[in-house]
Amino acid sequence: MKFYVYQLEDEEGKVFYIGKGQGRRMFSHFEKGKLKTHCNKKLYNKINSIFNRGGFVNPIIIFRSDDEAECLQKEVEIISLFGLQNLCNLTLGGEGTSGYKLSE
C-alpha cells in the first residue's frame, strides 16, 4: 500500500495528531521539530513538551491504501471523530497532495 493515515500519540496513548503520508512522512515531524522548522507550531510545541518531560511519541499507521483520495477522506473522518479541538491539527484534513514541496 502506497499511502497511509497515521496518528501520533504520547506515552500514555493519548492521540494528539492525525496525518496522511507515504514513506517516512510520519517521522518527519520529529526531525523538523528538532530543527525548529516545523510549520505547525502547535504540533512542534506538543512534541517538544513530550520529549522535554522524558516521554515519547508513538507513530501508528491506522489505515493503508493505494488510493491517495481514499486516505485523504479517511484522514478527514478520523480528525472529525477526535474533534479538531482535541488535536494539534490545524485543519480538518483532506487537503494534502503527494509530492508537493513547500517553499522556504
Side-chain angles (χ1 to χ4, degrees):
M1 300 289 166
K2 185 174 180 180
F3 302 100
Y4 57 84
V5 178
Y6 62 97
Q7 66 186 33
L8 299 180
E9 61 183 36
D10 66 16
E11 67 278 3
E12 296 175 356
K14 182 170 178 14
V15 176
F16 61 90
Y17 186 79
I18 303 295
K20 191 275 308 177
Q22 66 181 43
R24 297 191 45 78
R25 168 68 176 134
M26 67 183 177
F27 300 105
S28 69
H29 302 292
F30 312 126
E31 297 154 8
K32 290 178 181 177
K34 288 177 189 172
L35 297 172
K36 298 185 180 181
T37 60
H38 204 291
C39 61
N40 181 338
K41 299 296 184 202
K42 187 176 178 182
L43 180 58
Y44 162 77
N45 289 336
K46 176 69 171 181
I47 289 171
N48 282 323
S49 72
I50 291 169
F51 289 154
N52 288 341
R53 70 172 184 252
F56 62 89
V57 175
N58 191 21
I60 301 171
I61 294 175
I62 54 178
F63 181 78
R64 292 179 188 266
S65 176
D66 285 325
D67 183 350
E68 184 176 23
E70 186 176 22
C71 281
L72 290 169
Q73 180 57 41
K74 185 62 73 173
E75 178 191 31
V76 170
E77 290 171 15
I78 296 170
I79 289 171
S80 177
L81 284 175
F82 280 97
L84 190 60
Q85 71 279 6
N86 298 313
L87 299 168
C88 291
N89 293 71
L90 299 177
T91 71
L92 296 174
E95 64 278 327
T97 55
S98 296
Y100 182 76
K101 304 279 187 207
L102 294 174
S103 64
E104 297 282 328

